Amino acid sequence: MCKTMNELEKVVADYRSLKALKEELEEQLKDAEREIIGYLDSNDKLTETGSDFTVKISTCERRTIDSKRLEADLGSLAEYQRISQYRRLYVK
């Protein structure tokens, strides 16, 4: 735990560096995913197995509810809502 402003400044600088590295790695992961999907698509495959890996692609579906429209049609949805709280760190 930081006890001084100098310690906090160092931790914030480290945090920013790690965050930038994370974003770079996430972009590299997305590029690798696009390459794998491109291979599967161009070869009309849903799965491929190599010597030490298996890759599969599947179509997923996500359904959401337009809560504003539903509330306009049915009235308040407050009794059906579950509220969870969490803490979010913001570093600029």
Side-chain angles (χ1 to χ4, degrees):
M1 177 186 272
C2 301
K3 296 191 187 270
T4 67
M5 181 58 79
N6 287 340
E7 290 174 346
L8 180 59
E9 286 173 352
K10 183 186 179 327
V11 170
V12 168
D14 290 346
Y15 177 87
R16 287 179 174 156
S17 295
L18 290 169
K19 188 104 170 158
L21 180 60
K22 175 187 172 197
E23 290 170 4
E24 182 180 324
L25 288 172
E26 286 175 344
E27 188 57 41
Q28 290 177 15
L29 281 169
K30 288 287 183 191
D31 289 342
E33 288 173 7
R34 284 190 283 272
E35 287 287 328
I36 293 167
I37 291 168
Y39 170 86
L40 293 171
D41 286 346
S42 66
N43 290 287
D44 293 324
K45 294 185 174 198
L46 296 176
T47 184
E48 183 70 280
T49 302
S51 58
D52 66 343
F53 69 89
T54 298
V55 292
K56 297 178 182 181
I57 191 166
S58 60
T59 301
C60 300
E61 185 175 283
R62 179 178 161 202
R63 294 175 187 245
T64 60
I65 294 177
D66 183 343
S67 59
K68 288 182 182 177
R69 188 169 149 213
L70 187 61
E71 193 162 331
D73 290 348
L74 301 177
S76 176
L77 302 174
E79 66 181 279
Y80 302 103
Q81 293 177 343
R82 278 191 266 161
I83 300 172
S84 59
Q85 294 181 346
Y86 60 95
R87 294 169 55 183
R88 182 172 64 179
L89 177 63
Y90 175 77
V91 177
K92 183 175 179 183

